[in-house]
Amino acid sequence: MAAADCLSLTSAGLYCGAGDFYIDPLRPVPRALITHGHSDHARPGHSKVLATKETLAIMAIRCGPDFARETQAITYGETIRLGEVDVSFHPAGHVLGSAQILLCHRGQRIVVSGDYKRQDDPTCVPFEPVPCHCFITEATFGLPVFRHPDPRGEIAKLMASLQLFPERIHLVGAYALGKAQRLIALLRASGFERPIYIHGALKALTDYYASTGIKLGELRPLAGQRREKLAGEIILCPPMALEQLALKGDTEPRKIFASGWMRVRARARQRGIELPLIVSDHADWDDLCRTVVETGCGELLVTHGEADALVYWAETRGLAAKPLHLMGYGEEDLENPVEAPE
Ligand SMILES: [Zn+2]
Ligand SMILES: [Zn+2]
């Protein structure tokens, strides 16, 4: 694995000795480069953090203003030298501020992609393939069965449901960072202009998205609203609040959940989801493969997820590939996003 020689696996995660920094470390380190604000990548307690200004803002919202001793913002395309390594950040299309990190060291180009997707998302800068010798990718949906549909079709299902069940609250579970705001933007793009009600745990991040100029239309806090007045309205809440909110009130709300995992019918059934929406902020199988090809890399390292299928696929194309089995990532499904009362 020649190109990735300047990277090593440690108990804190990926470490670059030549630059003396970690990428998305799992525990506090002297210097961390952070790809994006999801809690499995952006943890508090580092001495120095280098990230996009959006990721820094998101970390401050989620972890408090003292999440690191020192922070430095980097813009997409800007190069900063750390030790013997030139570092630059490039759009990952995953959530607002998300970045792939390019390391240039002794003529070798290594891209650590973090999480990424290739589908349109009006709430963040689109993914840009970065030519490299070694591409380090996740593989959350790294199996050929995972093919995400067009999100506009999924939003159309939600619109059709509102027509069909005008007397029922439409309670939509969505991750607090990225998914919730993307759903709102997709609803607006589909022509839905009514106010959207949001759970308190989504407020700070959604306000931040809006403050950067992303058009989200009229949003109303769910707190203090009378349940009977919300018939036929859309309420967005974090996944963990779905069960609890579904029990309140006289008429049962329609339980809806937006996630790439909704492709797996058993998961939807388990959670009692009536209307699963397959909307994912991760690349599906086709987009993972396409991206590897577009980077032109000769080496592929797979951090987490369904690594084996992607490694096998890469080897059949003549790439040197191996899984890294990084632990502690891909837990967006498990995180508890209830950060504020309703
Ligand atoms: Zn993520
Ligand atoms: Zn992740």
Side-chain angles (χ1 to χ4, degrees), residues 121-123 151 154-155 158 172-175 178-190 192 196 216 234 236-237 256-259 277-281:
D121 181 344
T123 67
E154 302 301 288
I155 294 296
L158 177 52
V172 184
Y175 301 124
K179 189 66 58 62
Q181 297 78 21
R182 185 182 178 203
L183 283 181
I184 296 168
L186 283 168
L187 281 162
R188 297 311 185 199
S190 80
F192 184 80
I196 295 172
L216 299 177
I234 294 176
L236 270 181
C237 69
I256 302 160
F257 190 41
S259 165
L277 302 178
I278 308 169
V279 181
S280 175
D281 286 331

Side-chain angles (χ1 to χ4, degrees), residues 156-166 170 254 256 275:
K157 288 182 195 166
L158 177 52
M159 294 293 99
S161 173
L162 285 169
Q163 298 272 324
L164 225 57
F165 304 99
H170 283 58
R254 212 155 141 70
I256 302 160
L275 178 60

